[in-house]
Amino acid sequence: MMRFVKMQALGNDYVYVDMFNERLPEDPATLAVKLSDRHTGIGADGLILIEPSDTCDVRMRMFNSDGSEGSMCGNGIRCVGKYAYDSGLCRKDAIKVETASGVKELKLSTEGGICTGARVDMGIARLDADVELSAACVKWRLKKVSMGNPHAVCFLDELPDDSLFFAAGPELERNAAFENGANIEFCKVVSRTRMEVRVWERGSGETLACGTGACAAAVAGFVRGLTEDACVVKMPGGELNIEIDNDMRVYMTGPAELCFTGIWPGDIAR
C-alpha cells in the first residue's frame, strides 16, 4: 500500500508521496497518469515525489498528468515545503529543495505550528527573443522565458475565451519553436502592479494556477515596460506576489494547503 498526501496551491493540485517512508514506484510516470485521472484515480495535475537529498533538506521530483517528467513547479514546491515542515522532515523556517532545475530556497510562513505558505527564490529568469507563431488561425507574439522550465508569454487586450484558449493552447505548446514544448501564458495587464493570466501548462493542459508561469508572465511584463518589478499575478485559482530584483532573480510568494491523506492500493501502484 502506498500512502499519499493530496495538496493544492491556488487550485494547482498534486498527489505527494513521502519517499523517506514509502517505496519508490517502479514506474512513476505511469502511476502519475493513473493517480491524476479525476474519474478513476485521485484526481490531480500530477505526481510529486518528496525524496532524500545529498545536498539539500529534500529533493522534489515531479510528473505531469500525462506522465511526462517536469523540471520545476512553483506551486508544487510550496506544498513540498509545507509537507517537509508539517511532517517533521525538516522543522525549520528556511529550507532548501533540490529540483531538476537547481536548488530552490524557501522561507516558510507558519501559524500555530503549521506551514501556510512560502516565499520561494525561483532563481534567475532567462530570456530569449520574441517569436511570432500561428495557432488556431491567429498570429501570436510571444516572449520566451525560462524559469528552469520553458515558457512563452503573450499579452492581449482581453484574455482568450474558451474556444480560442483550448484551440491555441495545445498548438502553441507543441510548436517546433520550442524544442521540448512550452508552457503558454495568456496575459492581460490591469495596471503597473497587477495582471491577469490564464495558463496552458505543458503536459497538463489548463491548470487553475502555475507558479513558474506567474513568474514568467511578471518577468515578461517587466522587461517590456508594462509592469513594475513587483506585481500581483491573478490566475483562476488565486493570486501570487512576484518580485524581480536587479539581476532578474525572481521571488514568488503564495499559500499551500493540505486537502487530504490516503492510501493507494498496492496492486494498482505496481
Side-chain angles (χ1 to χ4, degrees):
M1 295 283 186
M2 185 186 74
R3 293 174 177 82
F4 69 87
V5 175
K6 172 76 178 288
M7 290 186 282
Q8 65 91 12
L10 303 187
N12 200 191
D13 59 337
Y14 287 85
V15 174
Y16 296 78
V17 179
D18 177 353
M19 301 313 303
F20 287 79
N21 297 295
E22 299 295 319
R23 294 175 58 190
L24 180 69
E26 293 180 4
D27 185 0
T30 299
L31 181 61
V33 176
K34 293 180 179 179
L35 296 174
S36 299
D37 192 289
R38 298 189 184 275
H39 298 285
T40 61
I42 297 168
D45 291 324
L47 167 68
I48 291 180
L49 305 178
I50 303 173
E51 303 177 342
S53 170
D54 293 330
T55 58
C56 297
D57 294 294
V58 296
R59 177 179 180 230
M60 166 182 161
R61 190 178 178 198
M62 67 161 293
F63 296 85
N64 296 307
S65 60
D66 67 354
S68 61
E69 186 165 1
S71 53
M72 179 56 187
C73 175
N75 289 318
I77 199 171
R78 297 199 309 277
C79 289
V80 169
K82 175 178 175 59
Y83 181 87
Y85 185 88
D86 292 354
S87 68
L89 289 179
C90 42
R91 195 73 174 172
K92 52 187 180 181
D93 293 340
I95 68 170
K96 292 183 178 181
V97 179
E98 178 186 352
T99 77
S101 63
V103 175
K104 308 300 180 186
E105 297 183 4
L106 284 67
K107 292 185 178 179
L108 306 180
S109 301
T110 61
E111 184 176 337
I114 300 295
C115 176
T116 58
R119 182 178 189 262
V120 186
D121 180 347
M122 297 291 287
I124 296 175
R126 307 292 182 188
L127 294 101
D128 203 345
D130 289 7
V131 292
E132 289 192 2
L133 304 175
S134 294
C137 301
V138 175
K139 285 189 176 181
W140 307 86
R141 182 188 177 200
L142 302 110
K143 167 65 73 176
K144 296 170 74 173
V145 181
S146 173
M147 292 302 309
N149 57 355
H151 293 268
V153 183
C154 64
F155 291 93
L156 308 166
D157 292 334
E158 297 293 338
L159 295 180
D161 60 19
D162 283 353
S163 60
L164 181 56
F165 177 82
F166 286 106
E171 283 190 46
L172 292 170
E173 174 197 354
R174 296 188 293 265
N175 192 283
F178 312 116
E179 182 178 357
N180 298 305
N183 302 281
I184 310 299
E185 283 76 43
F186 301 91
C187 308
K188 174 185 176 181
V189 174
V190 178
S191 71
R192 297 283 301 174
T193 58
R194 189 174 186 85
M195 68 169 68
E196 296 177 358
V197 177
R198 192 172 184 183
V199 181
W200 181 268
E201 194 162 341
R202 181 181 63 163
S204 295
E206 182 177 25
T207 53
L208 294 179
C210 176
T212 56
C215 294
V219 167
F222 177 61
V223 298
R224 284 191 176 173
L226 302 175
T227 54
E228 302 293 341
D229 56 2
C231 183
V232 175
V233 177
K234 181 182 179 182
M235 294 166 286
E239 299 179 349
L240 289 173
N241 292 294
I242 310 299
E243 305 163 69
I244 307 165
D245 72 11
N246 293 333
D247 298 322
M248 296 303 293
R249 183 172 292 277
V250 185
Y251 299 87
M252 171 197 65
T253 303
E257 296 183 359
L258 170 69
C259 299
F260 56 86
T261 63
I263 297 174
W264 184 258
D267 58 337
I268 299 177
R270 285 195 299 273

